[in-house]
Amino acid sequence: MTGPSGTPRGEHAPRPGVTWVTTTVGWTGEQLADDDTPPPRPNRATRRAAARRARRTT
């Protein structure tokens, strides 16, 4: 079995062209939704909480 190396490994250089300097975060504008689309379905935790509350009140 070999042990850890006595010389630490340095950080590697990133891929060419990928640096934080070139990364930009910008506003892409307002996202519009149709009035006819149904509301999104609640997630599992919300559905379970509603079911617990319905069982508790009856």
Side-chain angles (χ1 to χ4, degrees), residues 3-4 7-8 11 14 17 19-22 30 34 37-42 44-46 49-50 54 57:
T7 57
E11 295 183 11
T19 60
W20 282 105
V21 176
T22 61
E30 213 174 328
D34 293 333
T37 57
R41 186 173 182 220
R44 183 172 185 256
T46 306
T57 58

Side-chain angles (χ1 to χ4, degrees), residues 3-57:
S5 171
T7 57
R9 296 172 58 186
E11 295 183 11
H12 65 84
R15 288 190 326 243
V18 179
T19 60
W20 282 105
V21 176
T22 61
T23 304
T24 58
V25 177
W27 174 250
T28 58
E30 213 174 328
Q31 295 183 359
L32 302 176
D34 293 333
D35 292 334
D36 299 335
T37 57
R41 186 173 182 220
N43 64 14
R44 183 172 185 256
T46 306
R47 292 193 312 266
R48 289 173 53 107
R52 277 195 309 272
R53 184 171 186 161
R55 284 193 308 264
R56 187 178 58 156
T57 58

